[in-house]
């Protein structure tokens, strides 16, 4: 089988690019030929030229990765649904319950709003949303299959897009086959935030919660360490609101956490597994975007959660997105997003009973084995085969 993959790929620094790279390698290991006609293409006019030039009759299925605020893959699928109506089109939707959430280009008179200060661009997106949603639904209903990473995400996508149940499939985020490493000694207790480091990830909540927990249990101050690890995309870290990393460092000083926090910035991919396994568990304090809540509910998951399972480490996570579903097997616990006291309570429980980290790690290891990319790729292969067989003749 030959598929055309429409997706960001490394060196793009996004979770979806990393996902697409692992996904394509796993498919190739099964003997599936994966072509990437838009690889490295960021210019809309160049993308259009490539779409016109590519021989679509040479592939059996087109698959896209949708999400992360990108528009190119959505626009390419829209084009193909019109000019190649017999072609089976599938996509993994990383940010359900919507496909793209906002339009790539506004129409007049909303275009001038985009040039004005906040909150005018957000108002433009909100005013254009009925048209955006209509375009999303039109494409979604033409798709052979839409895949989500969680059941909650699939249910929300199906309802919001008005899809038939057979159009939506759930295939959990794949995991790399990482050799098991026992937990480090439980003292000091090592906590890890892993992911891109920019506003909206709730990192400030984690620092505040750790400060409150250590104030309530001062005897643990020298027995707990937190590592902040991950990527620092410049366009997100250095924004109009100021240098976010400098702001975090200032907050750490204000909370008297300088002796408790370590940094591992721009972590090389080769060091991710060893870094995670050098810790006892991961803490993901994500908050859902208040801006996006006007447009719908984001019910995706996180690549960091996938890494935790692959490395056999549990998680403490907020209940944002579909995280509660992801830790429902006993591989961690959730708290109400944005509730610093609730997060502090979770940390206190762990400090007083660190054996919980072992229990969560055991469950995470089981999940990691079940979701290895080799097994995930087989499920996609079966889905692609079914979509190809159902192709109108």
């Amino acid at each position: 089988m030959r598929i055309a993959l429409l997706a960001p790929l490394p060196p793009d620094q996004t979770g979806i690019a990393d996902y697409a790279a692992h996904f394509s390698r796993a498919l190739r290991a099964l003997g599936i030929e994966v072509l990437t006609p838009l690889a490295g293409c960021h210019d809309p006019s160049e993308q259009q030229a490539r779409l016109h030039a590519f021989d679509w009759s040479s592939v059996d299925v087109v698959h896209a990765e949708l999400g992360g605020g990108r528009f190119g893959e959505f626009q390419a699928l829209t084009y193909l649904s019109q000019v190649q109506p017999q072609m089976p089109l599938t996509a993994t939707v990383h940010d359900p319950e919507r496909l793209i959430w906002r339009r790539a280009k506004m129409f007049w008179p909303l275009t001038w709003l985009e040039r004005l200060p906040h909150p005018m661009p957000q108002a433009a997106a909100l005013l254009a949303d009925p048209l955006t949603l209509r375009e999303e639904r039109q494409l979604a209903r033409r798709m052979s299959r839409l895949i989500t990473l969680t059941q909650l995400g699939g249910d929300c996508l199906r309802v919001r897009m008005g899809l038939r149940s057979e159009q939506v499939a759930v295939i959990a985020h794949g995991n790399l086959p990482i050799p098991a490493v026992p937990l480090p000694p439980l003292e000091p207790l090592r906590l890890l935030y892993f992911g891109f480091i920019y506003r909206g990830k709730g990192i400030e909540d984690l620092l505040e919660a750790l400060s409150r927990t250590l104030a309530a249990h001062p005897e643990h101050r020298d027995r707990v360490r937190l590592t902040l690890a991950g990527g620092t995309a410049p366009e997100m870290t250095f924004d109009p609101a100021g240098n976010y990393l400098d702001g975090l460092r200032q907050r750490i000083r204000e909370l008297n956490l300088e002796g408790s926090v370590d940094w591992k910035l721009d972590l090389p991919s080769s060091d991710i597994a060893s870094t995670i396994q050098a810790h006892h568990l991961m803490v993901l304090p994500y908050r859902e975007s208040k801006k996006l809540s006007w447009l719908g509910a984001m019910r995706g998951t996180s690549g960091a959660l996938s890494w935790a399972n692959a490395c056999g480490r549990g998680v403490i996570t907020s209940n944002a997105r579909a995280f509660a579903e992801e830790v429902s097997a006993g591989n961690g616990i959730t708290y109400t997003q944005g509730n610093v006291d609730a997060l502090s309570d979770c940390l206190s429980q762990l400090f007083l009973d660190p054996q919980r980290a072992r229990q969560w790690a055991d469950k995470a290891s089981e999940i990691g084995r079940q979701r290895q990319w080799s097994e995930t790729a087989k499920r996609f292969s079966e889905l692609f085969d079914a979509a190809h067989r159902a192709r109108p003749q």
Side-chain angles (χ1 to χ4, degrees):
M1 175 173 283
R2 303 180 89 213
I3 74 162
L5 176 63
L6 309 177
L9 290 163
D12 284 8
Q13 294 187 29
T14 70
I16 295 179
D18 293 339
Y19 176 98
H22 297 312
F23 172 64
S24 57
R25 280 194 291 268
L27 290 180
R28 290 182 177 119
L30 293 179
I32 296 173
E33 189 173 355
V34 181
L35 308 180
T36 54
L38 300 183
C41 179
H42 299 94
D43 179 71
S45 60
E46 181 188 351
Q47 174 186 290
Q48 197 65 28
R50 291 198 194 183
L51 289 173
H52 282 291
F54 187 76
D55 181 9
W56 297 102
S57 66
S58 68
V59 297
D60 301 301
V61 176
V62 175
H63 181 76
E65 305 294 335
L66 297 177
R70 292 173 58 93
F71 305 106
E73 291 77 24
F74 179 88
Q75 292 172 321
L77 287 174
T78 300
Y79 167 81
L80 290 172
S81 72
Q82 296 165 354
V83 302
Q84 298 282 339
Q86 309 303 312
M87 174 63 67
L89 302 177
T90 67
T92 300
V93 182
H94 291 265
D95 300 325
E97 60 184 3
R98 302 287 293 266
L99 300 186
I100 55 168
W101 293 84
R102 62 187 180 89
R103 305 187 83 239
K105 290 184 177 180
M106 291 296 172
F107 49 87
W108 189 90
L110 298 183
T111 48
W112 66 272
L113 286 179
E114 292 188 297
R115 298 191 290 268
L116 298 177
H118 173 84
M120 289 300 103
Q122 289 75 16
L126 188 60
L127 290 170
D129 188 58
L131 178 59
T132 307
L133 183 58
R134 179 172 175 268
E135 293 173 345
E136 287 175 304
R137 286 172 171 163
Q138 285 178 337
L139 176 61
R141 292 166 186 175
R142 293 172 185 164
M143 300 289 292
S144 299
R145 297 287 190 283
L146 290 170
I147 300 95
T148 60
L149 305 179
T150 65
Q151 188 62 54
L152 177 61
D155 291 343
C156 291
L157 180 73
R158 178 181 52 79
V159 172
R160 193 67 187 273
M161 294 294 111
L163 303 174
R164 303 184 309 275
S165 58
E166 63 269 21
Q167 283 183 275
V168 179
V170 178
I171 301 179
H173 198 304
N175 294 330
L176 292 172
I178 297 173
V181 172
L183 286 179
L186 290 176
E187 190 173 316
L189 192 62
R190 297 189 179 276
L191 313 176
L192 173 68
Y193 167 86
F194 170 66
F196 286 100
I197 298 176
Y198 51 78
R199 288 179 175 84
K201 293 285 189 173
I203 300 173
E204 300 89 342
D205 290 349
L206 174 54
L207 295 175
E208 181 68 32
L210 179 60
S211 175
R212 294 184 191 184
T213 306
L214 292 177
H217 304 279
E219 70 278 11
H220 287 275
R221 180 166 291 276
D222 296 326
R223 293 187 284 179
V224 176
R225 298 205 66 81
L226 167 66
T227 301
L228 301 178
T232 56
E235 67 273 16
M236 294 182 176
T237 304
F238 303 98
D239 61 22
N243 186 316
Y244 182 56
L245 291 178
D246 285 350
L248 284 181
R249 292 188 177 101
Q250 176 62 30
R251 189 61 183 144
I252 287 169
R253 289 191 291 271
E254 292 170 353
L255 294 171
N256 192 29
L257 293 176
E258 291 176 286
S260 303
V261 177
D262 302 310
W263 295 86
K264 279 186 173 287
L265 299 180
D266 299 316
L267 191 65
S269 58
S270 58
D271 293 346
I272 291 175
S274 60
T275 297
I276 294 172
Q277 291 178 324
H279 294 78
H280 296 95
L281 80 161
M282 198 179 288
V283 186
L284 299 176
Y286 290 15
R287 286 189 179 204
E288 293 172 2
S289 168
K290 293 181 179 178
K291 299 174 186 176
L292 285 178
S293 67
W294 288 95
L295 306 177
M298 186 174 287
R299 290 294 176 255
T301 182
S302 160
L305 271 171
S306 174
W307 273 107
N309 289 329
C311 294
R313 296 297 182 265
V315 293
I316 294 174
T317 176
S318 74
N319 64 348
R321 304 185 188 181
F323 292 168
E325 179 180 331
E326 290 285 76
V327 299
S328 61
N331 51 316
I333 57 172
T334 62
Y335 69 93
T336 303
Q337 61 175 303
N339 189 328
V340 174
D341 286 335
L343 175 54
S344 180
D345 287 343
C346 291
L347 295 176
S348 293
Q349 293 173 35
L350 181 66
F351 290 3
L352 297 176
D353 183 13
Q355 291 297 333
R356 285 180 145 209
R358 295 193 188 280
Q359 298 165 9
W360 296 337
D362 289 343
K363 288 293 185 180
S365 296
E366 292 178 18
I367 296 170
R369 288 190 294 270
Q370 295 165 3
R371 296 183 179 181
Q372 287 187 8
W373 270 115
S374 57
E375 295 302 313
T376 301
K378 289 177 184 177
R379 294 192 61 191
F380 272 100
S381 176
E382 293 168 357
L383 184 145
F384 293 151
D385 187 56
H388 178 62
R389 290 198 311 270
R391 176 178 184 168
Q393 300 300 319

